[in-house]
């Protein structure tokens, strides 16, 4: 079936450095890619999303890039801060199945 | 607007029992999706309900079922519980869901422990 691969599963970066999380998807017709952040003990919350008609979207320190040809998209967090520590999930809307499939998550640790 | 709410927040059951979880979406939202979250497996899609009809379902056994009421509140039922059903069950609501590709708003989840 359709799936979304997310890497790495764990990422540690020094405070102030950048973090990059990458995802690949299988359904070439996918056209909507949200990213969710889940802090410890809390619910996932949307932080940014991108649609297939654009290649990049930025919101302050967060950016997402999309390469439709290669079927991969990435989350970039610059100038990381302690509050960025969380699990991040990428997701892709699968047109064929009419549902959103999530990656398995990346646990991001911001080191002091 | 009040956010998505789920009850109960915590539940302990034994193998073979059945359980019913409840989800109240944001007012005006008509789509409710359910997910199972376990360590290492991320968020796995169970099913989506819209206007009291199951619109889509994931790859879970028939022991997992759900329904939606006319006020968009949804319930999820798991029968004949197994140890592997221990997980955080999240529901998410959106205005119309499905092919409209809207933002999903998650509830706090129900943590189920099966002993």
């Amino acid at each position: 079936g359709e799936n979304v691969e997310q890497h790495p599963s764990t990422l540690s970066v020094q405070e102030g450095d950048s973090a990059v999380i990458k995802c690949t998807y299988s359904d070439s017709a996918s056209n909507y890619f949200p990213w969710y952040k889940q802090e410890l003990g809390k619910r996932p919350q949307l932080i940014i999303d991108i649609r297939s008609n654009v290649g990049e979207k930025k919101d302050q320190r967060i950016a997402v890039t999309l390469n439709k040809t290669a079927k991969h998209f990435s989350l970039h967090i610059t100038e990381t801060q302690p509050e960025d520590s969380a699990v991040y999930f990428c997701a892709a809307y699968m047109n064929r199945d009419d549902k959103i499939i999530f990656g398995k998550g990346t646990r991001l640790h911001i080191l002091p | 607007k009040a956010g998505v709410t789920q009850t109960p927040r915590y539940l302990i059951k034994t193998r073979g029992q059945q359980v019913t979880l409840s989800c109240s979406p944001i007012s005006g939202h008509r789509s409710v999706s359910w997910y199972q979250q376990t360590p290492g497996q991320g968020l796995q899609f169970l099913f989506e309900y819209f206007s009291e009809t199951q619109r889509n379902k994931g790859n879970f056994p028939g022991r997992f079922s759900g329904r939606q009421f006319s006020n968009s509140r949804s319930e999820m039922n798991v029968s004949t519980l197994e140890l592997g059903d221990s997980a955080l069950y999240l529901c998410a609501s959106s205005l119309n869901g499905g092919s409209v590709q809207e933002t999903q708003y998650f509830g706090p989840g129900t943590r189920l422990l099966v002993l």
Side-chain angles (χ1 to χ4, degrees):
Chain A
E2 305 294 352
N3 73 320
V4 175
E5 299 282 339
Q6 183 172 348
H7 300 281
S9 56
T10 306
L11 179 61
S12 296
V13 301
Q14 212 68 40
E15 183 179 346
D17 288 350
S18 296
V20 181
I21 302 170
K22 299 181 179 180
C23 291
T24 58
Y25 58 97
S26 55
D27 182 1
S28 56
S30 295
N31 56 6
Y32 175 61
F33 307 90
W35 284 87
Y36 285 83
K37 174 184 180 182
Q38 186 177 28
E39 296 177 60
L40 190 62
K42 297 191 175 180
R43 68 191 76 188
Q45 291 195 297
L46 180 77
I47 54 171
I48 195 167
D49 58 12
I50 191 168
R51 298 182 190 275
S52 60
N53 56 345
V54 299
E56 182 176 2
K57 184 176 178 180
K58 289 184 76 172
D59 182 4
Q60 299 183 336
R61 296 186 298 108
I62 293 173
V64 57
T65 57
L66 171 65
N67 183 325
K68 284 188 65 179
T69 305
K71 291 191 285 186
H72 70 69
F73 57 113
S74 301
L75 178 73
H76 304 253
I77 306 175
T78 58
E79 300 171 21
T80 52
Q81 299 169 5
E83 53 265 36
D84 295 329
S85 292
V87 177
Y88 292 80
F89 293 97
C90 64
Y93 174 74
M94 301 288 175
N95 258 318
R96 250 171 260 190
D97 298 330
D98 190 24
K99 61 190 177 192
I100 284 184
I101 303 295
F102 284 80
K104 292 186 177 180
T106 295
R107 185 171 296 279
L108 175 63
H109 298 276
I110 305 302
L111 307 172
Chain B
K1 277 186 182 176
V4 180
T5 58
Q6 291 185 246
T7 57
R9 295 293 311 279
Y10 304 92
L11 209 46
I12 300 175
K13 292 285 188 178
T14 55
R15 278 179 298 175
Q17 286 187 308
Q18 67 94 28
V19 67
T20 299
L21 313 181
S22 180
C23 172
S24 292
I26 290 172
S27 177
H29 284 193
R30 297 162 66 193
S31 169
V32 174
S33 296
W34 287 89
Y35 296 87
Q36 182 193 66
Q37 184 176 21
T38 54
Q41 291 300 312
L43 292 160
Q44 294 188 286
F45 174 74
L46 281 154
F47 27 65
E48 180 198 1
Y49 284 88
F50 178 81
S51 289
E52 302 178 65
T53 302
Q54 186 181 90
R55 182 154 63 183
N56 217 329
K57 67 188 300 289
N59 300 320
F60 279 81
R63 300 184 297 106
F64 292 81
S65 63
R67 59 178 176 167
Q68 187 179 35
F69 302 94
S70 58
N71 62 357
S72 293
R73 188 177 71 86
S74 177
E75 287 182 347
M76 189 192 97
N77 185 276
V78 188
S79 61
T80 320
L81 283 166
E82 300 177 0
L83 294 180
D85 296 334
S86 294
L88 180 67
Y89 290 89
L90 291 160
C91 75
S93 78
S94 62
L95 270 172
N96 296 296
S99 58
V100 185
Q101 304 145 40
E102 299 162 329
T103 300
Q104 289 188 307
Y105 296 87
F106 283 86
T110 293
R111 187 164 296 282
L112 172 65
L113 177 62
V114 182
L115 302 176

